[in-house]
Amino acid sequence: MGGQEEFKASTGWLKRFKTRYGIRMLTTQGEILSGCTESAEAFCLYFQKFVQEENLSLDQIYNADETGLYWKCLPKKTLAAGNEKSAPGFKEPKERLTVMCCSNASGIHKLKPVVIGKSKKPRAFKNIVVGDLPVVYYSQKKQLL
């Protein structure tokens, strides 16, 4: 690159360099880079055409999506006082529920969320009739990711 061969940047130099050029640390979010946008756009056009040809209303079109709920997960970042040198770390818990929600496009018909956990009979359901829950619960030992 034409610079000195034995260049050693100090932490101060690196900090000023990052400030000068607007470089900062970001946490990646979502899955936008995982999908093929061209295929998604083509499918949207195909789906709109299909809805028009079949004369479907928003009440007849449903969408479902699943997500993972890490219910014991703690925040990865924390605030600390100026005199604290570090914050102790911890092992991330793996307790996870899979949740699926479904509704029609108009939003007037929402199905009960489906929750998939590990236990057949969770302790939290001890004195509860499962049919009275606002969700449909299933169990599965192995989580498929």
Side-chain angles (χ1 to χ4, degrees):
M1 291 178 51
Q4 300 172 352
E5 285 187 31
E6 297 190 21
F7 173 76
K8 293 183 181 177
S10 66
T11 54
W13 179 91
L14 183 59
K15 183 178 179 182
R16 287 189 302 277
F17 178 85
K18 291 192 314 187
T19 303
R20 184 179 315 123
Y21 292 103
I23 299 170
R24 59 193 172 102
M25 183 178 295
L26 293 176
T27 304
T28 58
Q29 299 175 356
E31 300 172 352
I32 194 162
L33 298 177
S34 300
C36 178
T37 55
E38 294 87 19
S39 297
E41 290 171 7
F43 177 77
C44 285
L45 294 173
Y46 168 78
F47 186 70
Q48 288 174 350
K49 183 180 171 186
F50 176 78
V51 169
Q52 289 174 351
E53 288 174 357
E54 296 294 322
N55 197 25
L56 298 174
S57 70
L58 294 178
D59 296 337
Q60 297 171 305
I61 301 169
Y62 282 79
N63 184 36
D65 197 10
E66 59 89 21
T67 186
L69 175 66
Y70 292 91
W71 57 279
K72 279 191 177 179
C73 207
L74 296 172
K76 294 182 190 274
K77 296 180 181 179
T78 185
L79 296 175
N83 61 353
E84 294 180 87
K85 300 275 186 211
S86 66
F90 55 88
K91 184 177 178 182
E92 284 192 30
K94 304 277 193 277
E95 284 84 354
R96 177 179 193 251
L97 296 173
T98 301
V99 180
M100 185 179 82
C101 300
C102 181
S103 171
N104 64 356
S106 65
I108 62 170
H109 186 226
K110 298 172 186 168
L111 300 175
K112 280 186 176 183
V114 174
V115 177
I116 303 171
K118 285 186 180 179
S119 304
K120 278 191 177 180
K121 295 182 181 180
R123 284 187 220 159
F125 296 173
K126 186 175 181 182
N127 296 320
I128 296 175
V129 178
V130 177
D132 293 343
L133 290 174
V135 299
V136 178
Y137 180 81
Y138 295 102
S139 65
Q140 179 178 353
K141 281 282 185 197
K142 292 185 180 179
Q143 294 289 330
L144 304 175
L145 297 177

